[in-house]
Amino acid sequence: MKILYRTLQLSLILLFVGLFTSCNKAKDETPNADSPKSDATAMLNIRYIDKDSLLHNYNLAKDLSEAMLRTSDNYENIQRQKANEIQKFAAQIENKYKTNGYLSEASFNADQQKLQKMQQDAQAYLANLERNIQNEMIQNNIQLNDSVENFIKAYNKEKGYEIIFDKAACLFIDEKYDITDEIIKGLNERYNKVESK
């Protein structure tokens, strides 16, 4: 019985020693979290840009935004002007009708048709204006995206990053990887040089 007990004890001790050494071996083979080879992402040279901040501070984006605000204000002014013209003519028709100014039903109908044509023309004009504004917005977005993408490609040739994220695409990324200010500075320097030629 004593021999069996000692054999069992020895077996347990050997088992624990074996487990302990294999755990230590596995620990030695597992890269340290501080080590640059801890995982594939730690080896990547990555950075990110806060696109909201970029669009808020890039001079081209600000200029395009101001131009679109002016276009929008112009559209609203034209819309008000057309509405006022239509309302004014409609009020004239109503006033003329109330004061028995129409000598015949034909002249009343002619004014009604003129009012309807004014409304249709205004709607067509405003719809065309809206299409032009939308096309302008699309062209502005293309110009802005091309400008940013081309600059980042040129910038990255010098820096050699493997990935440059948009911050909005990440749930979390450490601020030490933020290159937004560098990108804004470079974009504005390039834009201001082109603008001053």
Side-chain angles (χ1 to χ4, degrees):
M1 187 75 155
K2 273 188 174 180
I3 295 173
L4 185 60
Y5 181 73
R6 285 193 182 203
T7 307
L8 185 58
Q9 264 186 331
L10 185 59
S11 296
L12 286 174
I13 289 171
L14 289 174
L15 180 66
F16 284 131
V17 169
L19 285 173
F20 182 75
T21 54
S22 68
C23 284
N24 278 344
K25 235 185 222 180
K27 200 183 271 186
D28 291 341
E29 290 171 2
T30 304
N32 185 339
D34 297 331
S35 157
K37 296 181 181 181
S38 65
D39 60 14
T41 56
M43 292 188 297
L44 291 176
N45 191 4
I46 62 171
R47 295 295 182 271
Y48 76 89
I49 297 168
D50 183 347
K51 205 164 191 180
D52 289 339
S53 179
L54 185 143
L55 294 176
H56 185 70
N57 294 296
Y58 179 23
N59 290 337
L60 173 62
K62 289 194 269 188
D63 289 348
L64 292 175
S65 178
E66 287 172 14
M68 289 311 300
L69 281 174
R70 284 191 300 274
T71 300
S72 178
D73 287 347
N74 185 43
Y75 173 81
E76 288 174 9
N77 288 337
I78 291 170
Q79 191 178 31
R80 271 193 298 276
Q81 179 186 355
K82 296 283 183 193
N84 288 340
E85 288 171 6
I86 291 167
Q87 286 175 349
K88 184 178 177 183
F89 188 66
Q92 287 173 353
I93 292 172
E94 186 178 347
N95 189 35
K96 194 173 178 181
Y97 182 78
K98 285 181 180 177
T99 60
N100 294 323
Y102 287 107
L103 301 175
S104 68
E105 191 175 332
S107 63
F108 174 73
N109 288 340
D111 278 353
Q112 287 288 341
Q113 288 174 351
K114 183 179 177 183
L115 178 63
Q116 192 173 22
K117 180 153 179 23
M118 284 176 70
Q119 291 169 333
Q120 290 169 348
D121 289 348
Q123 285 176 348
Y125 182 79
L126 291 171
N128 187 47
L129 205 55
E130 279 182 42
R131 277 191 299 278
N132 291 341
I133 291 170
Q134 287 174 348
N135 288 336
E136 185 181 345
M137 285 176 68
I138 290 167
Q139 291 306 313
N140 287 349
N141 284 335
I142 289 170
Q143 179 185 358
L144 188 59
N145 285 334
D146 285 350
S147 176
V148 171
E149 286 178 22
N150 290 331
F151 178 80
I152 288 174
K153 285 177 186 173
Y155 169 88
N156 200 46
K157 279 184 182 178
E158 180 186 322
K159 299 293 185 175
Y161 299 127
E162 294 173 69
I163 300 173
I164 298 178
F165 287 105
D166 177 0
K167 183 181 180 183
C170 301
L171 293 175
F172 172 79
I173 189 164
D174 196 307
E175 287 182 13
K176 69 183 176 187
Y177 298 110
D178 187 356
I179 56 169
T180 307
D181 290 340
E182 285 179 52
I183 299 295
I184 292 169
K185 182 181 179 202
L187 282 167
N188 282 335
E189 285 173 358
R190 185 181 70 173
Y191 177 64
N192 294 336
K193 282 179 189 173
V194 170
E195 198 176 54
S196 62
K197 283 184 180 178

